[in-house]
Structure formats: C-alpha cells, structure tokens
Amino acid sequence: MILKVKDLRKFYGEKAAVDGISFEVEKGEIFAILGPNGAGKTTTLKCITGLRRKNSGEIELNGTFTYLPEEKKLYPYLRVKEIIDLFEKIGKDFNKKNCLELLERYRIDLNEKVTNLSHGMRTILYLSLVFSENVDLYILDEPTWGLDPLVRNEMLENVRTLTFEGKSVLYTSHVLAEVEKIADRVAIMKEGKIILTGSLDDIKSSYGLVVSKEDLNGYLLKTLKSGEKVYLMKKEEAPEGVEIEEATFEDIFKAIVRGERNDR
C-alpha cells in the first residue's frame, strides 16, 4: 500500500467539498478518481499533496510523490530550457535526459517562452517534467486535458509504463474511455462522497440493464420513446425472469452519478 486515505473531510465554509471518503492505492497500480465538476476530485488530490489543509481524517503516504495540477501553469515568461533547469534543481531524482527526449519528440522549442505555448504544448511540457521524476507515486489531475487523440494515447502509454517499474499512479479524468483503457481500480465521486469503488471488471460484471414498463428498484438511465424505462441495477437484485443486458461503464457512470434512484 503506497497511499491510504481514511475518512477525509475538507470544508470550504459550511460546504463539504470532500465528505468522509476513504480509499487505498496499492503499489504498482493505477487508481482513477472520476466524477462530475465539483465532485471533490481536485480538492482530494490537493489535500493528499498538502496544498490544502484537511479538516479531519487520515492520509498515510508511504513514499515519494510528484504532482501534476489541474491547471497546467508554469512560470509564463521563462523559456522552456529555464523551466527544465529549475526542475533539475528542485525535482525529485529528476532525469533531464529523459525530459529533453520527450520534448524533442513533440517538437517543443527549448528557447520558446512558456506563455507562447499552446495549452496542449504546456500540458506536454508539464507531463515531460513530471514523468522525468523518479518517485513512488504520480498524482495526476486531468493529465490529458487539451491533448489531441494521438498524443493522449502516447501519454497514457507512458502512464501505464510507470507501473511496469513498480510505480503507482493516482489520477483524475473526465474521459471515461481512457480510464477504461489504463485504470486498475476506480472511485466515482459525487458531491464530496465516493458512491462507487472497485475494479473495472468487478463493477461491470456486477451491474446490468433492465428494460421495463413497470417501476423497478434501480437507477433510471433513460426513458425510451415507447415509454419503457431502462434501469441500471445490480444483477443479483434484478427481478426473476427479466432479461438483463450488459451495461457499459459509461452506462454505469451516468446512471449512478445522475442518482435518479427508484426504490419501490
């Protein structure tokens, strides 16, 4: 276990941004936190990294870490090479050669000022810096935001490669397809709480879709033009004799986050 979070709470005034969540990240795994805007994902990461002071709860971090923030801000009027030199001084076991190779691959000019880089190029720069640190846990907040599909896939491959070396990754994303591609386990957050957690395979095998004209216990996913309703429910809770269709992870996410639960 590289990270253990227990009953974490963070308030802004009277509002609970993080409301008693608990999870663990194992060595060598990728753990993804998902949820709509305002769910508490970024605040959770900031509490773990010490950028926000928690109100209560326990955070146990067993090893070194690096952090990629949601806003990919770097000193705007420094040149790329000056940013690299800075990271070489303050980074954790920073591999400058690796960083330079990544930037060369994506044709980022070392003499260019950060302020002149596009959003995607700033993300590539920041990722190149973070990937070049040798730490136990990589904490990444929306690491592929603003990247084109080809670069996104390559960066996701870099994330997966980290685990081959025994590293761990904790990250947030709003792109469900990429989470399915690389995450070992996920936690879905809503309004500061974790409402579902587990391995992707276990989650997808546990839930199914049932179409019915009658009201059923479960999460309402959608209503068809015919008037029939599509419910997401645990397979073990489905009524006897009804047909259960396979649910995609997107189906599960949408239904549970929407939270339109019908309890007869």
Side-chain angles (χ1 to χ4, degrees), residues 3 23-26 29-33 171 179 182-187 197-200 203:
L3 173 68
F23 64 90
E24 296 181 0
V25 180
E26 302 291 337
E29 80 166 345
I30 299 175
F31 190 98
I33 301 178
Y171 86 110
V179 171
I182 68 169
D184 298 303
R185 290 190 300 132
V186 301
T197 187
S199 73
L200 282 167
I203 290 173

Side-chain angles (χ1 to χ4, degrees), residues 133-194:
E133 292 187 283
N134 180 24
V135 295
D136 301 303
L137 175 65
Y138 294 80
I139 301 175
L140 312 175
D141 199 350
E142 296 286 358
T144 63
W145 181 254
L147 300 180
D148 66 53
L150 179 61
V151 177
R152 178 188 295 123
N153 288 336
E154 291 180 351
M155 289 301 177
L156 290 175
E157 188 60 35
N158 286 337
V159 171
R160 172 52 72 189
T161 299
L162 292 171
T163 63
F164 300 161
E165 303 166 0
K167 311 295 187 181
S168 303
V169 179
L170 169 64
Y171 86 110
T172 70
S173 177
H174 67 286
V175 184
L176 299 184
E178 78 175 38
V179 171
E180 285 194 89
K181 187 174 183 178
I182 68 169
D184 298 303
R185 290 190 300 132
V186 301
I188 298 176
M189 288 188 71
K190 179 184 177 183
E191 297 177 351
K193 296 180 180 292
I194 290 179

Side-chain angles (χ1 to χ4, degrees), residues 85-122:
D85 290 340
L86 179 61
F87 257 71
E88 189 175 20
K89 294 177 182 177
I90 67 174
K92 298 165 184 174
D93 196 6
F94 182 71
N95 186 333
K96 184 176 181 178
K97 181 176 180 292
N98 181 74
C99 183
L100 291 173
E101 288 175 351
L102 282 170
L103 295 177
E104 182 180 6
R105 173 176 176 78
Y106 296 105
R107 299 179 181 178
I108 294 181
D109 187 349
L110 299 182
N111 291 308
E112 190 64 81
K113 288 185 177 180
V114 172
T115 190
N116 294 330
L117 299 178
S118 67
H119 179 80
M121 292 176 73
R122 287 198 301 273

Side-chain angles (χ1 to χ4, degrees), residues 238-250:
E240 291 186 12
V242 302
E243 183 178 352
I244 303 174
E245 300 178 9
E246 292 300 316
T248 66
F249 183 60
E250 183 177 0

